[in-house]
């Protein structure tokens, strides 16, 4: 039996604020993915999906149709979408299903995330001391990285400037107005060195994918994209993570390095073969660090690459062509599948004003989140 997995349908909703519930957004994304594939809900043989705070994915059958399909709930922080995708891919590979669905969705209230220490295996004192505030972690992590590798605040601003520029070209993005680097640098400081316009915002949105075996793909309408690999990893000892109570001395380990290396090994290619990529950018420093952690450059090379425009849509390594989390916001359950949706459009040549020139053939996606989990994919046409 073939183990190839093809993505035949991809759908997403606009991200940002919405009067619709998270579940309603999920149903809209699923129906968009089914329409893109040219099929209907009864054809789906297995489904996997979830959200962080917007409800249970399996209840979507009340609106999609009571077909008896096995529907498994997934909740894995920022890797929820990637974990749902891994599960759906394994359903195809194992022969459990020839058509499977992955869906991620969320709807967060205004303001910063407000996690509870006990949900992360931490004592209450961790929260009362203010360490559950994620912006502090991101500020500390990028400060150390900038010191070690010569990254300047201007590079942080240029990453965010690119995000807003690309978001302006993305119909479903939340932030659709370009913001110049000078204004980003001058915006209010949140957690030094990160200013207000360098962060993404919690929001609402959904994304869904229809996965098929090669045989089933022949009956679909959507031009298929091959899912060459999908890998999910958790932190190893020595990592410096969100909600990590301590960090040992020495060179830290990286869950993003582990997940990306596993994805590239499974796909049988390396970072140099990638034509377009999506990297987690909870804030602009994260994109900079993840460029190196995922193997696209050495630590410290980002300063020159970013200044040269290499990571822009027309550059040799386009990163976050849809504006990433900074322009789209972050509905936690949906972000990973939004990334894959974007790469599918790029490989199909359907990305419109944000299309990478030259006909990209290989794409990569990466998400990272608390308490040290990462999901990566490699796709090709």
């Amino acid at each position: 039996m073939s183990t190839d997995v093809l993505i035949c349908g991809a759908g997403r909703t606009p991200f940002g604020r919405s009067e619709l519930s998270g579940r309603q957004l999920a149903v809209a994304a699923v129906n968009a993915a089914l329409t893109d594939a040219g099929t209907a809900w009864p054809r789906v043989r297995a489904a996997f999906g979830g959200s962080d705070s917007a409800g249970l994915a399996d209840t979507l059958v009340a609106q999609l149709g009571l077909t008896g399909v096995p529907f498994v709930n997934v909740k894995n922080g920022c890797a929820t979408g990637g974990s749902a995708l891994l599960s759906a891919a394994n359903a195809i590979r194992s022969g459990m299903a020839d058509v499977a669905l992955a869906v991620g969705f969320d709807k967060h209230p205004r303001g910063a995330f407000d996690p509870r220490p006990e949900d992360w295996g931490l004592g209450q004192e961790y929260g009362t001391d203010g360490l559950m505030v994620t912006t502090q972690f991101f500020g500390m992590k990028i400060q150390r990285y900038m010191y070690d590798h010569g990254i300047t605040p201007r590079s942080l601003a240029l990453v965010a400037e690119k995000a807003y520029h690309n978001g302006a070209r993305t119909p479903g993005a939340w932030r659709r107005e370009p913001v110049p680097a000078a204004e980003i640098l001058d915006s209010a400081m949140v957690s030094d060195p990160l200013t207000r316009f360098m962060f993404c915002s919690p929001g609402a949105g959904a994304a869904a994918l229809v996965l098929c075996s090669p045989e089933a793909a022949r009956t679909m309408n959507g031009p298929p994209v091959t899912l060459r690999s999908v890998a999910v990893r958790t932190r190893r000892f020595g990592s410096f993570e969100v909600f990590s109570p301590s960090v040992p001395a020495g060179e830290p380990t990286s869950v993003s390095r582990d997940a990306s290396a596993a994805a590239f090994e499974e796909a049988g290619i390396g970072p140099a073969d990638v034509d377009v990529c999506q990297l987690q950018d909870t804030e602009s420093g994260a994109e900079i660090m993840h460029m190196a952690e995922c193997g696209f450059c050495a630590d410290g090379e980002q300063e020159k690459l970013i200044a040269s425009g290499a990571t822009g849509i027309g550059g040799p390594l386009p990163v976050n062509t849809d504006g990433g989390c900074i322009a789209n916001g972050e509905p936690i359950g949906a972000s990973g599948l939004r990334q894959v949706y974007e790469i599918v459009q790029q490989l199909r040549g359907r990305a419109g004003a944000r299309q990478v020139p030259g006909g990209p053939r290989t794409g990569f996606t990466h998400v990272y989140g608390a308490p040290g989990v990462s999901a990566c994919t490699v796709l090709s046409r």
Side-chain angles (χ1 to χ4, degrees):
M1 179 180 294
S2 173
T3 58
D4 288 345
V5 179
L6 303 176
I7 298 174
C8 293
R12 62 165 286 181
T13 67
F15 279 33
R17 301 288 177 214
S18 176
E19 296 182 357
L20 300 177
S21 70
R23 292 178 68 262
Q24 288 173 319
L25 292 169
V27 170
V30 170
N31 285 330
L34 292 169
T35 299
D36 185 46
T39 192
W41 173 245
R43 184 67 181 85
V44 176
R45 296 292 182 259
F48 305 84
S51 74
D52 184 69
S53 60
L56 299 173
D58 66 315
T59 64
L60 300 177
V61 299
Q63 284 73 45
L64 294 171
L66 302 177
T67 63
V69 63
F71 203 136
V72 177
N73 290 308
V74 178
K75 186 171 183 178
N76 207 14
C78 292
T80 292
S83 299
L85 181 59
L86 174 64
S87 301
N90 285 340
I92 301 292
R93 292 165 175 163
S94 69
M96 172 189 175
D98 62 348
V99 179
L101 177 85
V103 58
F105 60 100
D106 249 310
K107 183 174 183 178
H108 303 295
R110 293 177 182 272
F113 293 119
D114 56 349
R116 303 184 307 167
E118 58 268 30
D119 291 339
W120 303 89
L122 300 170
Q124 284 293 334
E125 70 280 358
Y126 201 78
T128 56
D129 288 345
L131 296 175
M132 296 301 290
V133 181
T134 58
T135 57
Q136 292 187 11
F137 162 79
F138 291 117
M140 288 188 293
K141 190 168 186 178
I142 190 59
Q143 268 198 356
R144 173 177 175 169
Y145 193 86
M146 292 168 71
Y147 177 84
D148 287 344
H149 302 292
I151 304 298
T152 64
R154 177 163 176 76
S155 288
L156 298 176
L158 289 175
V159 167
E161 180 183 61
K162 171 179 64 69
Y164 294 118
H165 172 81
N166 293 350
R169 301 183 177 197
T170 305
W174 185 0
R175 312 298 187 190
R176 302 210 57 207
E177 294 293 331
V179 183
E183 183 176 345
I184 294 167
L185 279 171
D186 290 340
S187 63
M189 186 65 68
V190 177
S191 290
D192 193 18
L194 299 168
T195 67
R196 175 188 173 190
F197 289 161
M198 294 176 185
F199 279 95
C200 74
S201 300
L209 302 170
V210 175
L211 280 61
C212 298
S213 68
E215 295 76 18
R218 298 188 187 101
T219 69
M220 302 290 168
N221 291 340
V225 169
T226 301
L227 180 64
R228 297 183 63 169
S229 67
V230 53
V232 178
R233 292 292 186 272
T234 57
R235 66 194 186 280
R236 290 186 289 118
F237 179 76
S239 61
F240 179 45
E241 312 291 356
V242 189
F243 313 146
S244 176
S246 63
V247 61
E251 185 68 23
T253 61
S254 163
V255 67
S256 294
R257 290 190 193 276
D258 293 345
S260 59
F264 282 124
E265 181 179 4
E266 181 184 338
I269 65 170
D273 300 306
V274 171
D275 300 312
V276 56
C277 68
Q278 295 277 107
L279 303 177
Q280 179 80 18
D281 60 332
T282 310
E283 34 72 36
S284 53
E287 179 175 318
I288 290 174
M289 291 182 287
H290 293 145
M291 286 172 63
E293 290 182 352
C294 292
F296 293 104
C297 67
D299 291 311
E301 288 184 354
Q302 301 98 319
E303 185 81 2
K304 182 177 179 180
L305 288 171
I306 291 167
S308 71
T311 58
I313 289 175
L317 181 64
V319 178
N320 292 335
T321 49
D322 64 351
C325 289
I326 292 175
N328 285 274
E330 182 161 31
I332 286 177
S335 285
L337 296 185
R338 171 192 54 79
Q339 291 183 333
V340 178
Y341 170 91
E342 174 66 13
I343 295 298
V344 168
Q345 304 315 309
Q346 290 287 346
L347 299 186
R348 286 174 166 180
R350 294 181 174 181
R354 65 189 187 281
Q355 179 65 51
V356 170
R361 300 190 61 84
T362 301
F364 173 86
T365 72
H366 156 270
V367 292
Y368 162 84
V373 60
S374 181
C376 296
T377 72
V378 176
L379 305 102
S380 66
R381 64 177 176 91

